């Protein structure tokens, strides 16, 4: 199967009460881990590339890695998506360069400006058979070089979504309901709670329209412990409870973004490996268990959190 857009994926996910996983990719091992888990679990998947990933690995390398995954995993639909596109130019470069989906994130701009930029990207993308995710509301945390403090984060206003979607023509909408980017989402000792009331209001205003959740890592404590027991320092790293993500997937949420969890699994595994084998120096020896652990983590997400196993 060639690369696909997320259109049909989201229609099925909405109707089926599950979400498709959108995992960030930066190198070969991560692409392999995600797509092998998805192939074995027969799950559709979105591989997403940030501006930082393009700067790190180079656009062409990433596209070719994803194309290799398409060849190796012909049974499953795969979307190649730009995560947090910051301008029309970045989106255009990805549309021209083989992506099937882009996000234009103008959520930090005033409402009218967000509409204007998003509409421009939608016009270009649709003319080239590419779909567009947009965002309303501001998540806390770090994404690319932008660091949004908890104070300046704000929830999506349901009264704005209908006008935004109608005027921009975007294909999916990322909303802020309490998730945030990175590994420190909630204060230790507090009770993490997503704002399902906002999600429900948004979905009433936008029936059958796919909603996206960013900042949806759960920060598995086994990997936080592994990092901390092997020379790392990540005190108080806490994520979104998996049951709440599962519930969101049953509602209008069709795409759930997960990056930090994969980073944690990779870092924890590599730290442990070197702690246990200080004499080793072949990168394949530490990347192999790191890749294996990411694969098992993705499998767990597909089966127990997203509910998309068997839906390819
Ligand atoms: O939301 C941001 C993603 O986790 C990508 O992170 O910009 O460091 O590649 P990055
Ligand atoms: P996490 O930092 O929670 O993994 O979020 C990733 C994300 O939203 C990528 O766009
Ligand atoms: Zn994000």
């Amino acid at each position: 199967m060639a690369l696909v857009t997320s259109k049909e994926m989201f229609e099925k996910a909405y109707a089926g009460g599950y979400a498709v996983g959108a995992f960030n990719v930066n190198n070969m091992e991560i692409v392999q881990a995600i797509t092998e888990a998805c192939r074995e679990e027969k799950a559709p998947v979105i591989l997403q590339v940030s501006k930082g990933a393009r700067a790190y690995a180079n656009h062409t390398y990433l596209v070719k890695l994803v194309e290799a995954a398409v060849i190796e995993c012909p049974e499953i639909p795969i979307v190649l998506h730009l995560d947090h596109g910051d301008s029309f130019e970045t989106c255009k470069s990805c549309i021209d360069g083989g992506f099937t989906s882009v996000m234009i994130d103008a959520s930090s701009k005033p409402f009218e400006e967000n509409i204007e930029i998003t509409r421009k990207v939608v016009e270009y993308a649709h003319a080239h058979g590419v779909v567009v995710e947009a965002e309303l509301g501001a998540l806390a945390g770090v994404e690319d070089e932008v660091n949004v403090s908890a104070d300046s984060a704000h929830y999506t206003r349901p009264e704005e979504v209908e006008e935004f979607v109608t005027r921009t023509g975007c294909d999916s909408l990322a909303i802020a309901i309490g998730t945030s980017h990175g590994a420190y989402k909630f204060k230790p000792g507090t009770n993490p709670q997503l704002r399902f009331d906002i999600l429900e209001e948004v979905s009433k205003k936008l029936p059958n329209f796919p909603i996206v959740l960013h900042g949806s890592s759960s920060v598995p404590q086994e990997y936080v412990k592994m990092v901390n027991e092997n020379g790392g320092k990540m005190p108080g790293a806490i994520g979104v409870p998996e049951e709440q993500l599962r519930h969101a997937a049953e509602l209008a949420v069709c795409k759930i973004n997960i990056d930090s969890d994969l980073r944690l699994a990779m870092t924890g595994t590599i730290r442990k490996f070197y702690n246990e084998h200080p004499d080793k120096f072949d990168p394949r020896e530490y990347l192999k268990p790191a890749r294996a652990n990411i694969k098992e983590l993705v499998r767990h997400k597909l089966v127990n959190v997203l509910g998309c196993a068997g839906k390819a």
Side-chain angles (χ1 to χ4, degrees):
M1 196 182 293
L3 282 175
V4 298
T5 75
S6 48
K7 192 174 180 337
E8 194 186 331
M9 252 182 212
F10 288 167
E11 282 165 8
K12 288 185 179 166
Y14 201 106
Y18 61 90
V20 179
F23 302 100
N24 288 69
V25 297
N26 290 278
N27 63 21
M28 181 187 77
E29 286 76 13
I30 296 174
V31 171
Q32 289 175 327
I34 297 164
T35 53
E36 280 175 24
C38 291
R39 181 167 51 79
E40 287 175 16
E41 294 301 329
K42 300 182 176 41
V45 68
I46 298 170
L47 299 177
Q48 56 186 17
V49 168
S50 70
K51 188 179 162 209
R54 287 175 92 220
Y56 169 75
N58 169 305
H59 176 97
T60 311
Y61 278 94
L62 291 167
V63 170
K64 293 299 165 191
L65 284 172
V66 171
E67 284 175 4
V70 169
I71 292 169
E72 291 297 318
C73 308
E75 315 89 339
I76 57 166
I78 301 179
V79 172
L80 174 54
H81 173 77
L82 168 66
D83 190 28
H84 294 287
D86 60 342
S87 64
F88 174 78
E89 288 68 30
T90 307
C91 293
K92 181 180 183 300
S93 150
C94 289
I95 293 164
D96 295 345
F99 283 46
T100 53
S101 173
V102 293
M103 174 189 193
I104 174 69
D105 181 359
S107 59
S108 61
K109 306 266 195 299
F111 186 67
E112 282 299 324
E113 216 179 309
N114 189 352
I115 289 184
E116 200 181 310
I117 300 171
T118 303
R119 192 172 49 200
K120 190 173 170 198
V121 172
V122 168
E123 269 171 27
Y124 189 80
H126 286 182
H128 292 79
V130 170
V131 292
V132 179
E133 173 186 328
E135 180 167 334
L136 258 186
L139 272 69
V142 185
E143 65 195 45
D144 274 322
E145 299 100 45
V146 185
N147 189 347
V148 182
S149 72
D151 292 343
S152 44
H154 57 85
Y155 297 116
T156 302
R157 286 186 272 275
E159 61 274 21
E160 290 182 347
V161 298
E162 208 177 342
E163 181 184 352
F164 184 84
V165 167
T166 311
R167 288 179 59 197
T168 60
C170 65
D171 302 279
S172 60
L173 184 68
I175 63 169
I177 58 166
T179 60
S180 66
H181 290 105
Y184 304 89
K185 300 184 191 296
F186 299 97
K187 295 231 161 21
T190 58
N191 194 15
Q193 182 58 57
L194 299 185
R195 289 287 303 272
F196 286 107
D197 56 324
I198 298 179
L199 174 58
E200 289 193 20
E201 266 191 73
V202 166
S203 53
K204 270 190 210 142
K205 305 259 183 202
L206 298 172
N208 296 314
F209 192 81
I211 300 301
V212 177
L213 283 191
H214 281 248
S216 296
S217 275
S218 298
V219 190
Q221 293 303 300
E222 66 178 289
Y223 283 117
V224 175
K225 192 163 172 265
M226 196 182 283
V227 166
N228 289 335
E229 282 178 356
N230 290 283
K233 219 180 230 179
M234 296 187 69
I238 291 172
V240 183
E242 290 187 335
E243 320 76 68
Q244 293 189 28
L245 294 168
R246 183 69 203 98
H247 184 50
E250 283 162 2
L251 303 173
V253 172
C254 295
K255 171 176 182 270
I256 292 187
N257 286 10
I258 298 171
D259 184 16
S260 298
D261 284 356
L262 309 193
R263 294 178 179 197
L264 254 182
M266 182 159 226
T267 302
T269 308
I270 293 172
R271 279 191 176 281
K272 181 167 185 278
F273 180 88
Y274 272 120
N275 222 5
E276 289 170 359
H277 306 280
D279 55 320
K280 304 275 192 192
F281 70 100
D282 180 343
R284 292 172 298 188
E285 287 181 306
Y286 67 80
L287 287 170
K288 206 170 164 185
R291 181 174 59 190
N293 280 352
I294 294 174
K295 179 176 169 181
E296 288 320 303
L297 183 59
V298 170
R299 191 195 304 284
H300 162 73
K301 300 281 179 186
L302 303 174
V303 174
N304 301 308
V305 182
L306 302 156
C308 62
K311 307 294 187 184

